[in-house]
Amino acid sequence: MSDVNAVIDAEPAGSGTPNHRAGKPDKARSLTADAWADLRKSKIFWTAIVLVLIIALMAAFPSLFTSADPKSCTLSNQYKGPTGGAIFGYDFQGCDVYAKTIYGAYNSLFVGFMSTLIASLIGLIMGLATGYFGGWLDAVLSRFIDVMLGIPFLLGGIVLSRRLSSDPASDGVWAVILTLGLLTWTSGARVMRSAVISSKNQDYVAAGRMLGATPARLMLRHILPNSIASFMVVNTLLLGVNIGSEATLSFLGVGLKGDAISWGIMIADGTKFARSEPWPLVWPAIFLGATVLAFIMLGDAIRDAFDPKLR
């Protein structure tokens, strides 16, 4: 006993962690806290955040970036170079390319966000149902997901978008939103299903079931919070994909139409005279590429932070 006391007395006064010196146990950090600690040190994450914030400001408050009217076009300005406030010059209709590019951010972000929201809700419900209940419901819904994955996206998008936007007075915004939402939920559903199957076999779910918790309570209060991380990562990536998909459908003439301003429409119009006047094509393409890249970078950074194997 005297030897033990001697060792304790010989220990430096400053050794040990503050919690140990205060008689408090170390507090374990959650997966979310560990992920945030990694994200704060990620240059890719902060670069993506800055790009997303700038694009969001363009969509919400375009007047902060330009005072020009994107629909005010004068044929005498056709293909004029940068002059005054039109720093990107004019297109073949004499419209300010810079103003149209700024105002085009709203439709691109709105369509991308709303279609991703619809896809997320469908994928969440499908993934929870198939993963938790299993059995014949899992077999039927899983085969339905396989059928959806077998539909070529571009073909399905063209057919469905044309059908939903058959009204000549429609600008095609909600038709594209519904089209993308109904065609892009499958990946999220598969990820959620796998996460739910892994979570429902944990001890805390078994304990809740023994205490009489209903399936709805188990799924919403216990399984969902522990399965949502990977699902949110997939849908962050999907947001960038849907923004690009809207531009693709608009470029093909089955997306936004009428008076709607869209980067896809601008790119489609710019290709007609791309060899002689490339700038009305180049600028919206640059903004579209930067937007899609920003959301993909954000999704990749979040995925890496939440994946323990990459630590």
Side-chain angles (χ1 to χ4, degrees):
M1 181 64 69
S2 59
D3 293 335
V4 174
N5 292 334
V7 171
I8 294 176
D9 292 337
E11 183 177 339
S15 63
T17 64
N19 286 340
H20 286 160
R21 291 199 303 269
K24 298 179 181 178
D26 289 333
K27 186 177 180 179
R29 291 197 305 182
S30 65
L31 177 61
T32 303
D34 287 337
W36 173 240
D38 287 344
L39 287 174
R40 285 185 299 178
K41 298 180 290 185
S42 173
K43 295 180 180 179
I44 294 178
F45 173 75
W46 289 113
T47 301
I49 286 292
V50 170
L51 287 174
V52 169
L53 288 177
I54 292 173
I55 296 163
L57 281 175
M58 287 171 46
F61 308 103
S63 59
L64 293 177
F65 297 86
T66 178
S67 59
D69 183 358
K71 296 182 181 180
S72 177
C73 306
T74 306
L75 286 176
S76 60
N77 291 330
Q78 186 180 54
Y79 289 129
K80 282 186 177 180
T83 56
I87 60 175
F88 293 167
Y90 295 88
D91 61 12
F92 74 104
Q93 291 181 330
C95 303
D96 186 340
V97 175
Y98 175 70
K100 290 185 69 174
T101 302
I102 294 298
Y103 277 84
Y106 173 78
N107 278 329
S108 294
L109 286 188
F110 181 72
V111 170
F113 178 79
M114 293 303 297
S115 60
T116 303
L117 180 61
I118 293 173
S120 299
L121 291 176
I122 298 174
L124 182 66
I125 294 171
M126 286 285 194
L128 278 173
T130 56
Y132 182 82
F133 293 106
W136 67 268
L137 182 63
D138 183 23
V140 171
L141 293 181
S142 294
R143 298 294 77 76
F144 177 67
I145 293 174
D146 291 339
V147 170
M148 292 296 298
L149 288 171
I151 299 176
F153 173 77
L154 194 56
L155 177 60
I158 292 173
V159 173
L160 191 57
S161 183
R162 278 188 178 276
R163 182 72 181 114
L164 293 174
S165 62
S166 57
D167 184 2
S170 171
D171 59 4
V173 172
W174 282 103
V176 176
I177 289 173
L178 291 174
T179 297
L180 296 178
L182 293 174
L183 292 177
T184 59
W185 56 269
T186 49
S187 296
R190 281 191 160 187
V191 170
M192 176 56 69
R193 174 181 176 274
S194 300
V196 170
I197 290 175
S198 176
S199 296
K200 75 174 184 179
N201 295 320
Q202 300 298 319
D203 293 339
Y204 60 85
V205 177
R209 190 179 292 111
M210 292 177 63
L211 292 173
T214 62
R217 182 178 178 84
L218 287 174
M219 285 190 288
L220 297 178
R221 295 293 300 274
H222 300 288
I223 295 177
L224 182 59
N226 292 281
S227 308
I228 199 67
S230 55
F231 180 75
M232 294 304 297
V233 171
V234 170
N235 284 285
T236 303
L237 294 168
L238 180 61
L239 179 54
V241 172
N242 280 345
I243 291 173
S245 299
E246 177 274 320
T248 301
L249 293 177
S250 298
F251 176 82
L252 294 173
V254 294
L256 275 60
K257 57 184 180 180
D259 293 335
I261 301 175
S262 164
W263 289 334
I265 295 176
M266 294 179 65
I267 293 171
D269 292 338
T271 54
K272 300 173 183 176
F273 307 95
R275 291 186 178 181
S276 58
E277 301 291 342
W279 298 115
L281 164 67
V282 170
W283 287 116
I286 290 175
F287 276 72
L288 173 63
T291 303
V292 174
L293 179 62
F295 283 104
I296 291 177
M297 288 170 58
L298 182 61
D300 283 341
I302 296 175
R303 180 195 60 192
D304 294 345
F306 274 96
D307 190 350
K309 296 179 181 179
L310 300 178
R311 296 186 186 281

